[in-house]
Amino acid sequence: MQEKRKYRDLSKNTILFTINSFGSKLISFLLVPLYTYVLSTNDYGTADLITSTVQLLVPVLTLNIQDAVLRFSLDKEYDKRAVISVGIKHNFIGLILLLFGIIAVRGLRVLSLDNIYIYFLIMSFILNGLHNSFSMYLKANDKVYVLVISGIINTLITCVLNILLLVTFKNGITGYLIANVAGIFIAVCIMLICGGIYKEFRFKTEKKLSQAMIGYALPLVMNSVAWWINNASDKYILTFFCGIAVNGIFSVAYKIPTILSTIQGVFYNSWSVSAITEFDENDSDGFMGTMYTLYSCMSILGCSGIMLLNYPLARILYAKGFFEAWYYVPLLLLGATFNGIALFEGCMFTAVKKTKEVFRTTLIGAVVNTITNIVFIWLIGPLGAAIATMLGYFTVWLMRTIHLRGIVKMKVNWKTQILITIILFIQSVVALKQGMEAIQAICLVLIFVFQYSYIKRLLVKVRELILRRK
């Protein structure tokens, strides 16, 4: 009965996150041809660099408080209202630090930015910070349905405004930025009201709780910075060596790997809660090993399948000067696979509060990523950035997989995992050359054959859940 409850809770959250992620990501994905048609490579490259900068500033200036909000909200020892109050407080402290930083930068004339970019940076910072904290709090309080509603509305508003501002009013990059800020603003308002967060916020926060949350989150700040280096440093190095337009093309190449990241993210969001509440170092009922194997199977099969469809997808999605982005996709897809599995493993480290180990592995991956980025981009240009990104994620995945075996005794067939990973590596190299689809298809079939028993097990579990619900 206990085992059935574990699978039921995980599957329920997975279904809700599927509705949320696929609804939002599908529409965003369909907007790619619009972006590549209306925006220049320079405009898209600039917008992407601003977004990447926000992704760095949020965890650094808020001390990555959103992760502490999730972990402490799931702990019965603490008052949940006090936990979210600390989270909100630190987001606004981060905003004050950002404003002082902008004033200092503009006063010293270190960096010259148009006002529109400054306004977008500020609004995007506070909205993303609150969105992260609210999301974690709602997940911990089993209010995933609020996340689904806010996510869908966010996407619809962003989509409609992008079409109006880019196509009808021809506002260019300004319209693109306004549409994205407006969407997340509405999402945050929905979470605040429908999630009942406005009723639980307290101006006065407990000092001991705040210190405990910061102590937990601090190692994860550098972890987030290291992840950002793996995710985004290539764009800055690429801009330095090759120019903003090349970065625009490379940034668009990430859109196809986003399909895989979305699939992974659906399950990861559910697992981030289950990994904490259902953690068992001996994996007595095989739950953790089964979830790991199924997630890995899904990630590798998904990567192989999307890689096979890369070129035809690129012909549909990438307009004008963006088409050459297809060439960088296979290695970025491979990197996304390792990234997703490493994030999945990270949940088990945080379940036992070993956040320093999470940081250490991510930091080493970031160092590998940065060094190889500089060397490979200098030698072979944008393809070097794709190779470096893949190597950075591979390093993190490899180290976490090795260390994880000392934390939890998962029932996993590691020989099979290694074999299908090697096959996927071979396919990614083959995929760099057009016209090799037949060999890619063989790789996909081999991966499927070696994973057939796990796929069959997954289908049986799904069938049982459907019959039980009926």
Side-chain angles (χ1 to χ4, degrees):
M1 193 67 187
Q2 179 73 7
E3 183 182 355
K4 287 182 178 180
R5 183 191 61 77
K6 291 181 181 181
Y7 287 105
R8 185 182 68 246
D9 291 347
L10 185 61
S11 61
K12 180 191 74 174
N13 286 337
T14 301
I15 290 169
L16 289 171
F17 281 119
T18 300
I19 296 169
N20 180 36
S21 295
F22 276 95
S24 60
K25 297 295 183 181
L26 178 62
I27 294 176
S28 299
F29 186 72
L30 294 175
L31 285 174
V32 173
L34 172 65
Y35 297 149
T36 57
Y37 182 78
V38 174
L39 299 174
S40 67
T41 52
N42 276 321
D43 283 345
Y44 196 88
T46 302
D48 185 72
L49 284 180
I50 295 171
T51 302
S52 296
T53 303
V54 171
Q55 290 171 350
L56 170 65
L57 293 175
V58 168
V60 171
L61 298 182
T62 65
L63 301 180
N64 214 69
I65 202 67
Q66 69 267 14
D67 285 327
V69 169
L70 174 64
R71 186 65 184 84
F72 281 73
S73 293
L74 288 169
D75 197 326
K76 294 179 182 179
E77 182 184 342
Y78 301 100
D79 181 1
K80 294 179 180 181
R81 292 174 299 177
V83 171
I84 188 59
S85 298
V86 172
I88 294 172
K89 174 184 174 182
H90 278 279
N91 274 287
F92 280 98
I93 291 174
L95 176 62
I96 294 170
L97 293 174
L98 175 65
L99 293 175
F100 276 118
I102 290 172
I103 292 170
V105 167
R106 288 176 73 88
L108 296 172
R109 297 183 180 179
V110 175
L111 187 64
S112 178
L113 281 175
D114 292 340
N115 286 335
I116 183 63
Y117 299 140
I118 296 292
Y119 299 148
F120 173 75
L121 190 71
I122 295 170
M123 290 298 296
S124 188
F125 173 87
I126 188 60
L127 290 173
N128 274 279
L130 290 174
H131 186 276
N132 292 346
S133 293
F134 290 176
S135 297
M136 295 298 190
Y137 186 71
L138 293 173
K139 278 201 291 184
N141 286 277
D142 201 22
K143 292 183 179 180
V144 178
Y145 66 93
V146 178
L147 289 180
V148 174
I149 294 169
S150 65
I152 292 173
I153 294 176
N154 176 6
T155 304
L156 290 174
I157 289 173
T158 303
C159 178
V160 171
L161 285 178
N162 264 307
I163 293 171
L164 284 174
L165 296 174
L166 292 179
V167 179
T168 306
F169 297 106
K170 302 186 186 303
N171 291 125
I173 189 173
T174 303
Y176 173 83
L177 297 177
I178 291 172
N180 283 277
V181 165
I184 195 169
F185 172 75
I186 298 299
V188 167
C189 290
I190 291 171
M191 289 180 182
L192 188 66
I193 298 169
C194 297
I197 295 174
Y198 74 96
K199 293 185 293 186
E200 301 185 354
F201 174 69
R202 303 289 184 271
F203 283 100
K204 189 175 181 180
T205 56
E206 300 173 22
K207 187 175 181 180
K208 285 185 178 180
L209 174 61
S210 183
Q211 289 174 342
M213 289 177 67
I214 293 172
Y216 172 85
L218 266 178
L220 295 174
V221 174
M222 292 310 299
N223 180 62
S224 295
V225 171
W227 273 124
W228 178 86
I229 291 172
N230 278 321
N231 282 318
S233 66
D234 51 357
K235 298 173 184 178
Y236 292 85
I237 299 170
L238 196 60
T239 300
F240 177 79
F241 280 109
C242 305
I244 194 74
V246 174
N247 177 61
I249 296 169
F250 189 75
S251 298
V252 162
Y254 274 97
K255 294 300 180 182
I256 291 178
T258 298
I259 302 172
L260 177 62
S261 299
T262 301
I263 297 170
Q264 292 174 315
V266 167
F267 193 82
Y268 168 77
N269 279 313
S270 304
W271 175 249
S272 62
V273 176
S274 291
I276 296 171
T277 57
E278 310 296 347
F279 183 82
D280 175 10
E281 64 177 348
N282 295 313
D283 196 19
S284 306
D285 57 4
F287 174 72
M288 305 195 80
T290 299
M291 290 301 105
Y292 180 89
T293 302
L294 292 177
Y295 182 84
S296 176
C297 166
M298 172 197 69
S299 298
I300 292 173
L301 264 176
C303 177
S304 180
I306 296 168
M307 201 179 292
L308 180 61
L309 298 172
N310 171 39
Y311 194 79
L313 280 173
R315 294 189 68 86
I316 297 169
L317 295 173
Y318 303 151
K320 301 180 293 183
F322 287 92
F323 181 70
E324 68 178 87
W326 78 269
Y327 186 59
Y328 316 125
V329 170
L331 292 172
L332 291 177
L333 268 169
L334 188 58
T337 303
F338 294 129
N339 177 34
I341 300 174
L343 286 171
F344 182 94
E345 294 171 334
C347 292
M348 286 181 268
F349 284 100
T350 55
V352 291
K353 295 186 177 180
K354 291 197 174 185
T355 52
K356 290 181 181 178
E357 189 65 31
V358 174
F359 160 61
R360 193 174 71 86
T361 53
T362 310
L363 178 63
I364 293 172
V367 171
V368 170
N369 179 287
T370 303
I371 294 172
T372 53
N373 254 313
I374 294 170
V375 174
F376 290 153
I377 290 175
W378 179 61
L379 290 174
I380 56 178
L383 182 62
I387 294 172
T389 297
M390 184 274 292
L391 288 175
Y393 288 138
F394 174 77
T395 301
V396 179
W397 167 78
L398 183 62
M399 292 186 66
R400 287 191 182 178
T401 302
I402 293 170
H403 289 300
L404 190 63
R405 298 177 72 178
I407 292 175
V408 55
K409 298 177 177 63
M410 292 192 300
K411 297 173 175 64
V412 175
N413 187 333
W414 293 108
K415 290 181 181 179
T416 302
Q417 294 296 309
I418 293 169
L419 180 60
I420 60 174
T421 301
I422 292 171
I423 295 172
L424 190 64
F425 259 112
I426 293 170
Q427 183 184 352
S428 66
V429 174
V430 170
L432 294 175
K433 188 173 181 181
Q434 187 187 348
M436 304 289 280
E437 286 77 12
I439 298 176
Q440 285 197 66
I442 292 171
C443 291
L444 176 59
V445 170
L446 287 173
I447 291 171
F448 181 85
V449 169
F450 285 118
Q451 293 283 63
Y452 175 72
S453 62
Y454 303 114
I455 296 169
K456 185 178 179 180
R457 188 191 306 173
L458 174 62
L459 294 175
V460 169
K461 289 284 184 187
V462 171
R463 181 173 177 273
E464 287 177 356
L465 288 168
I466 292 171
L467 290 174
R468 195 177 299 132
R469 287 180 182 276
K470 286 183 177 180

